[in-house]
Amino acid sequence: MSNTDRRVGTVSRGIRCPIIRQGDDLSEIVTSSVLEAAKSEGFSLRDRDVIAVTESIVARAQGNYCSVANIASDVKAKLGGETIGVIFPILSRNRFAICLRGIASGAKKIVLMLSYPSDEVGNELVSLDMIDEAGVNPYSDVLSLEKYRKLFGVNKHEFTGVDYVEYYQKLIQSCGAEAEIIFANQPTAILPYADHILNCDIHTRKRTKRILLAKGAKVVCSLDEIMNAPVDGSGYNELYGLLGSNKSTEDKVKLFPRDSMDLVLDIQKKVLDRTGKHVEVMVYGDGAFKDPQGKIWELADPVVSPFFTDGLIGTPNELKLKYLADNDFKHLSGDELRKAISDSIRRKDSDLKGSMASQGTTPRQLTDLIGSLCDLTSGSGDKGTPVVLVQGYFDNYTNS
């Protein structure tokens, strides 16, 4: 078959699997599910196909859970159990609310500092237009709850219908702690209120902690330092703590998976032994993309992919076909154009960084790109496809 006969490029398939429980042989389940899907749907595996496994079923198979009581114990031990400044949390019932229950249960008072107009991943408390109209400078102004309500009133989340300010306040109080809420975007704004601080930002956490310690905070913990070791026999994540966790029950969270390189390597080996094909394997969580309507940046996990095989290291090295067609080969058409572009792809440098012919291609890690594709494919609800098979991702215009 010539490259002109091929009509399909990258294909992403959600693979249905059994419901995963703690202790299940996940490597065998994933491998068997992919091979059974291939047989059922009439396709074959190829070298460099990617098998992606959602982090949720990895953590479930590991039994990597902790309770609200575990979180409370860890917070109290590390932050003293008195007044704790909790700053820059995201607005999420699934991601943060149950963690906040544990945090509040380990303190006498919580000073909750929310960023505005939105949280780190784009959930809005108020719109920028409302900020402009109120004459507020979000880079410098610190608002009390009273001032916030006077200026902006009640603002419910566009998609969830939740007033997160009230929701978090009542949640803290229901745990027996006093609640005070302020709104600010500079880490140091918390220091007049508390010197024992838990910073809950995800991707800026190291900077936030550095700034607070430099300005005199007595104790600063980031969310990745809570539940980074077992508490009373609980699960844990030594790298990410509570980051990447999700609500499991009203009293328990599922933590981000740990120690899963053996899993991805074992799946890779099983597929090779049974099919002769060398596939790549990754564990993935949130994709990294932004919703233009709700303005939400999806990546609430600390990374898109915490574990992956070596073939997924790096970034794409691609030429922009429309650039070649409109510039280098603008005088050609039809078969001549196709042959010229194909020859350029075959001769391309191993590193196109800085090349005009690669401008406009996506300069992101392969794991972030493929993980985002997989997150969109598997969804977050009832599709029942926690494994995704991506085929043809590494092909180009010349592959037949």
Side-chain angles (χ1 to χ4, degrees), residues 176-231:
E178 182 184 348
E180 182 175 1
I181 298 179
I182 62 173
F183 303 81
N185 290 308
Q186 297 299 330
T188 52
I190 193 64
L191 292 176
Y193 301 85
D195 56 13
H196 287 62
I197 299 159
L198 177 60
N199 66 293
C200 303
D201 43 338
I202 305 162
H203 306 291
T204 53
R205 61 189 183 274
K206 292 181 180 178
R207 176 179 181 268
T208 297
K209 183 175 182 179
R210 170 177 56 78
I211 289 171
L212 288 168
L213 289 173
K215 293 297 184 179
K218 288 185 178 178
V219 180
V220 183
C221 283
S222 301
L223 212 56
D224 58 356
E225 296 172 297
I226 304 298
M227 300 309 305
N228 61 351
V231 175

Side-chain angles (χ1 to χ4, degrees), residues 9 33 110-111 184 192 305 380-381:
S33 296
I110 296 294
V111 181
S305 177
S380 58

Side-chain angles (χ1 to χ4, degrees), residues 90-92 117-125 157 294-296:
I90 64 172
L91 307 175
S92 172
S118 66
D119 70 5
E120 181 182 1
V121 297
N123 294 293
E124 281 193 345
L125 284 174
H157 191 281
K295 305 177 183 64
I296 299 168

Side-chain angles (χ1 to χ4, degrees), residues 17-26 29-30 33 56-62 65 386:
C17 296
I19 301 299
I20 304 300
R21 298 296 189 189
Q22 181 175 347
D24 283 350
D25 185 348
L26 193 56
I29 290 172
V30 170
S33 296
S56 176
I57 64 170
V58 178
R60 285 168 64 188
Q62 292 176 340
Y65 296 88

Side-chain angles (χ1 to χ4, degrees), residues 57-123:
I57 64 170
V58 178
R60 285 168 64 188
Q62 292 176 340
N64 201 21
Y65 296 88
C66 73
S67 68
V68 167
N70 297 144
I71 297 171
S73 294
D74 209 24
V75 166
K76 189 172 184 179
K78 291 174 177 174
L79 289 157
E82 298 293 327
T83 297
I84 299 175
V86 176
I87 73 172
F88 301 152
I90 64 172
L91 307 175
S92 172
R93 294 168 296 176
N94 174 47
R95 287 288 191 169
F96 187 71
I98 194 164
C99 295
L100 182 57
R101 282 188 60 202
I103 295 163
S105 297
K108 291 182 179 178
K109 179 179 180 179
I110 296 294
V111 181
L112 183 67
M113 189 172 91
L114 301 174
S115 55
Y116 73 98
S118 66
D119 70 5
E120 181 182 1
V121 297
N123 294 293

Side-chain angles (χ1 to χ4, degrees), residues 329 331-343 397:
F329 307 121
H331 57 290
L332 301 178
S333 61
D335 288 342
E336 285 185 310
L337 175 59
R338 186 179 299 112
K339 181 179 184 303
I341 288 178
S342 297
D343 289 344
Y397 188 65

